[in-house]
Amino acid sequence: MTQDSKVHEIMIELDVPVPMRDGTVLRADIYRPANDGPFPVLLSRSPYGKDLLWDGMLDFKTMVRAGYVVINQDTRGRFTSDGEWLPWKYEREDGYDTVEWAASLPYSSGRVGMFGASYLGSTQRGAAISGAPHLVAIAPITTWCNPDDGLMFRGGAVELGLNTQWGLMQALGQYPKAGFRPRRRSAS
């Protein structure tokens, strides 16, 4: 097999540890061409579960075959990542550390772009504001510039409409991590 034909093969690494500056370990899945590269990196950081990203947002197989490394990471405290889940609190520092980690991978060209919608757009904003040197592009979709003005709060008051629904949905995702098991209800 030639080196050129290996670009069509996809290497998959699951739950790869990504150390943060405070010692917390986040985890990412990496999809990349089988040859050595170097390749630019497309990065997404998600609180919704790194396995859910591929539901219509990005055809990772096409991107890998086009010569990109695609990385999807669970944000701090979510699913496979360690730490405490506090929305927006660590996105700048964790975004910076993750971008620089991705740029340092042996098959990376050192150029990292980010993509994603909703909270994933907010993680991009945090990484961009942090000044991560190897972040060359972001592509946020349907996100906000300041969650404290109009999303989580409005005029200083808690925005109950979204907060209630979004907060409950995020809490459900924490149940397995907290050791809770779903209860079975019987019809009898």
Side-chain angles (χ1 to χ4, degrees):
M1 179 173 294
T2 67
Q3 186 76 350
D4 289 336
S5 66
K6 281 189 160 188
V7 79
H8 295 290
E9 289 183 35
I10 298 174
M11 301 292 294
I12 300 173
E13 300 173 69
L14 302 176
D15 298 324
V16 177
V18 184
M20 298 295 106
R21 65 186 71 185
D22 65 358
T24 302
V25 175
L26 309 186
R27 288 182 182 75
D29 292 346
I30 302 174
Y31 304 83
R32 64 181 180 86
N35 61 4
D36 295 335
F39 304 105
V41 175
L42 298 174
L43 170 65
S44 183
R45 303 186 59 250
S46 175
Y48 306 124
K50 57 187 171 53
D51 301 333
L52 298 178
L53 172 69
W54 314 117
D55 188 21
M57 184 166 305
L58 177 78
D59 180 355
F60 77 91
K61 290 185 251 180
T62 299
M63 298 311 294
V64 171
R65 289 182 178 133
Y68 291 90
V69 174
V70 180
I71 299 175
N72 193 23
Q73 179 186 62
D74 284 333
T75 55
R76 182 181 292 250
R78 300 296 287 168
F79 301 95
T80 61
S81 288
D82 297 341
E84 184 179 5
W85 165 240
L86 297 169
W88 296 286
K89 181 169 176 65
Y90 299 102
E91 299 312 341
R92 289 183 186 184
E93 296 86 355
D94 290 354
Y96 183 103
D97 294 349
T98 301
V99 166
E100 295 308 298
W101 166 83
S104 74
L105 293 170
Y107 39 80
S108 170
S109 68
R111 297 174 54 84
V112 179
M114 295 180 74
F115 66 96
S118 190
Y119 193 96
L120 286 65
S122 186
T123 65
Q124 297 170 60
R125 180 178 166 269
I129 290 170
S130 77
H134 291 94
L135 182 61
V136 297
I138 62 172
I141 305 164
T142 60
T143 195
W144 52 93
C145 64
N146 183 354
D148 290 335
D149 184 17
L151 180 72
M152 305 309 279
F153 301 92
R154 189 171 303 275
V158 173
E159 177 63 62
L160 292 176
L162 178 65
N163 266 329
T164 303
Q165 185 268 345
W166 189 79
L168 287 172
M169 294 304 293
Q170 298 318 299
L172 288 174
Q174 292 299 96
Y175 270 41
K177 193 167 188 140
F180 294 113
R181 294 180 179 214
R183 291 186 183 159
R184 293 185 58 162
R185 292 187 155 211
S186 65
S188 53

